[in-house]
Amino acid sequence: MMKSLISALFLGLLAVPATAQAQSGAPVTGEILTGWQQADGTRVAAIKLTLAPGWKTYWRSPGDNGIPPHFDWSGSSNLGGVGITWPAPSVFRTGGVRTIGYANELILPITIAPRSSGKPVTLHADLDIGVCSDICVPQQLSLRATLDTTSRNPTPSIAAALAARAYSASEAGVKSATCSLRPTANGLEIETRLNVPSAGGREVVVIEPGQPNMWMSETDSSRNGRHLTAIGDLSSTNGGALAIDRSAILITVLGEKHAVEIQGCTPG
């Protein structure tokens, strides 16, 4: 339950603006890259985090000992919706502990739908994130920017981050994805069986329940030819009963060559 306690402590979030936030000696600084406007009126921008040497920050599912990032956009104006595209993260193993995230720099693309098309968006992003070196500490960043460009020329750094996303199931050649559930003393054991080509090297499988008030452990995975199996534990963070919607489950395979995201699974 340690992860659920940590998550509760760091519920905060990303809002919006363009100015960089820099503090002397800070382990992380941030800014908004204003990006470009697409033909349909949506805008593509990015949050850029620059980490001090030896520091890293976390992916959306950071591992049992990580701090998940949270974003609050409520200070923005003319903002209809925000979508985040996560570049494939790295897996870090230190002292037997596995965490998932990014070192040196993270450019996190965001797709923005204006409430009123054709008008500027003032993006205000309040971020609560965790950063780690020898120790892990929470960091709060407040970033602001006005997105008013009419240029349709992609920003190279944002385009590169978009290209670094995980493959979809169809792009990766996934033939099937099943999930079987077994009751345990503390909840459920979930076992996923994936028919998918290798993503390279020592693969890590991350299972995200896709539903509130659920905690998912790290998984143990093994491969036999095209078949990748991963087993982990699900439990409730509020003591309630578990009702699993398999279509909401997101399975991510992290390999040395690429990552794969699989939305949903069938009973196994």
Side-chain angles (χ1 to χ4, degrees):
M1 289 297 107
M2 180 59 71
K3 184 176 179 182
S4 63
L5 293 174
I6 292 174
S7 298
L9 287 172
F10 294 98
L11 284 175
L13 299 45
L14 171 36
V16 148
T19 56
Q21 183 179 81
Q23 298 176 3
S24 177
V28 60
T29 58
E31 62 181 304
I32 292 176
L33 305 181
T34 55
W36 66 95
Q37 182 173 263
Q38 302 190 104
D40 63 359
T42 60
R43 296 179 180 275
V44 179
I47 300 297
K48 180 180 178 180
L49 300 179
T50 302
L51 295 141
W55 289 82
K56 61 180 182 290
T57 192
Y58 294 106
W59 185 51
R60 63 171 189 255
S61 181
D64 279 351
N65 293 285
I67 301 170
H70 294 281
F71 310 99
D72 180 5
W73 312 95
S74 61
S76 303
S77 62
N78 193 33
L79 180 64
V82 177
I84 296 175
T85 301
W86 290 91
S90 298
V91 178
F92 302 99
R93 294 180 174 89
T94 305
V97 174
R98 184 177 78 194
T99 55
I100 302 172
Y102 308 90
N104 303 319
E105 179 182 272
L106 168 61
I107 294 178
L108 185 62
I110 50 178
T111 302
I112 297 150
R115 184 175 289 112
S116 297
S117 182
K119 295 183 178 180
V121 174
T122 298
L123 193 60
H124 187 116
D126 292 324
L127 291 71
D128 284 352
I129 60 174
V131 295
C132 279
S133 180
D134 297 328
I135 59 170
C136 294
V137 295
Q139 294 284 291
Q140 296 180 328
L141 301 176
S142 184
L143 310 176
R144 185 179 298 274
T146 298
L147 311 182
D148 57 3
T149 182
T150 58
S151 172
R152 295 188 181 173
N153 296 322
T155 303
S157 60
I158 302 176
L162 286 167
R165 65 170 176 80
Y167 291 167
S168 68
S170 60
E171 290 170 335
V174 176
K175 299 298 184 184
S176 63
T178 65
C179 297
S180 59
L181 302 170
R182 290 180 286 272
T184 66
N186 298 311
L188 294 171
E189 179 186 81
I190 181 170
E191 179 177 346
T192 66
R193 295 179 179 271
L194 310 175
N195 184 333
V196 57
S198 173
R202 183 179 174 184
E203 294 162 299
V204 169
V205 178
V206 180
I207 302 173
E208 297 172 81
Q211 297 169 257
N213 303 318
M214 291 188 188
W215 175 83
M216 179 71 212
S217 74
E218 294 180 358
T219 66
D220 294 319
S221 60
S222 61
R223 176 174 283 281
N224 183 8
R226 278 186 58 100
H227 298 279
L228 179 62
T229 300
I231 300 174
D233 294 313
L234 269 170
S235 60
S236 171
T237 60
N238 61 6
L242 289 172
I244 305 302
D245 177 1
R246 284 182 172 85
S247 68
I249 291 174
L250 180 61
I251 304 166
T252 304
V253 181
L254 302 174
E256 291 181 2
K257 294 188 297 183
H258 58 259
V260 183
E261 284 189 354
I262 302 162
Q263 182 65 61
C265 53
T266 59

